[in-house]
Structure formats: C-alpha cells, structure tokens
Amino acid sequence: MATFLSDKRVLWVIFISIAVMQFALFGLTGYIAGEGNWLMPLDDVYIHFQYARQFAEGHPYQYNLSDPPTSGATSFLYPYLLAGGYVLGFQGLWLGMWTMILGSLALVASLWAIYRLCVAMHVPTGLSLATSVLFGVTGSLAWHFMSGMETGIVIALTLWTLVAVV
C-alpha cells in the first residue's frame, strides 16, 4: 500500500484532481453568481486585471493611459503573469479564468511541496499524502488559490523555499 501511495503518477493524479475539483467548485460558483460572466470575489483582482491589460498593451504600471507609471497593484510582479494570460486571449472578465489556472498550478505545486516536506521529515507515506490532501481540500486555503490574487503563488513559493531548506 505504501509503495502505491508513493508512486509519483498516483500522487500527480490525486493532486491534479484536487486542483481540478477546486477550480470547478470556485469557477462554477463565480460563473453562476456572475450570471454568465467570470466573476472574482475581490475587487483587488480587477485592479490587477487593469494593470495586466495595460502591460500587455505596452503601458507597464500605468493604471490609465493618462496616468504616470505607479506601483498601485498590491503585487509588483503578479500583473506580468496576468498579462501573459491577456496576450493568450483571456481578456475582460475571462482573465479571471487565467488567474484560477495559475492558482490551480500553484495548488498542485503546494500539494507536492507539502508531501515532499512530510517525507523529508520521515512522516509515514500515508500520513504525508493525507496531510497534502487535507491542505488541498481546506476551503479557506483553496480560496486563496482560487481568489484571483497572488496569495496562492506566494504560498507555493514559500513551501518550495522550505523544501529547498530541508
């Protein structure tokens, strides 16, 4: 049983399934609440969207064309990631879907990091997996990854920093 649970393919399937489930849950909730528009839960997300659009159109750090560049977004680097989605075609409110794709990737990375941390601390395989799964299905944590904000990416990067230290 422990060998099965430590098979990397099995872990990837479990972790990706959790991310897809969270994406579907939060995405459908926002889509239904937005009556067919991709709705995000925080107003700050839309500030990021504006900076991302301006960056993608060649006006980095300008909220409006008539304004001078500013660091008005809560994250200096996150609009770059969002601008990539804008260039790929996730425009208008659909940029919210791109943020949730990024959040899903960060969630999978976080689940993998938690598993690796547990294994590095000699936690039994089953408990290592259970710890990762519980992290992934905890609503308050999943909300951070699916909120459209940069917090899920920060969590993932922090966890992988801990993995590197351990």
Side-chain angles (χ1 to χ4, degrees), residues 74-158:
T74 55
S75 170
F76 198 63
L77 299 175
Y78 192 55
Y80 286 99
L81 295 174
L82 299 187
Y86 188 89
V87 169
L88 290 173
F90 294 93
Q91 298 179 358
L93 294 179
W94 288 97
L95 196 53
M97 179 186 281
W98 176 251
T99 67
M100 289 182 62
I101 290 170
L102 293 175
S104 296
L105 294 172
L107 179 57
V108 171
S110 295
L111 295 174
W112 190 256
I114 290 169
Y115 180 82
R116 291 272 311 268
L117 284 168
C118 288
V119 168
M121 294 185 291
H122 307 291
V123 174
T125 304
L127 188 54
S128 296
L129 176 59
T131 302
S132 297
V133 168
L134 286 174
F135 179 94
V137 300
T138 299
S140 58
L141 291 169
W143 184 87
H144 280 284
F145 289 92
M146 300 299 156
S147 69
M149 296 298 288
E150 68 276 11
T151 51
I153 294 170
V154 172
I155 291 169
L157 292 173
T158 301

Side-chain angles (χ1 to χ4, degrees), residues 14-29:
I14 292 170
F15 296 162
I16 290 170
S17 296
I18 290 170
V20 167
M21 175 192 69
Q22 296 295 10
F23 182 96
L25 176 67
F26 284 88
L28 286 173
T29 301

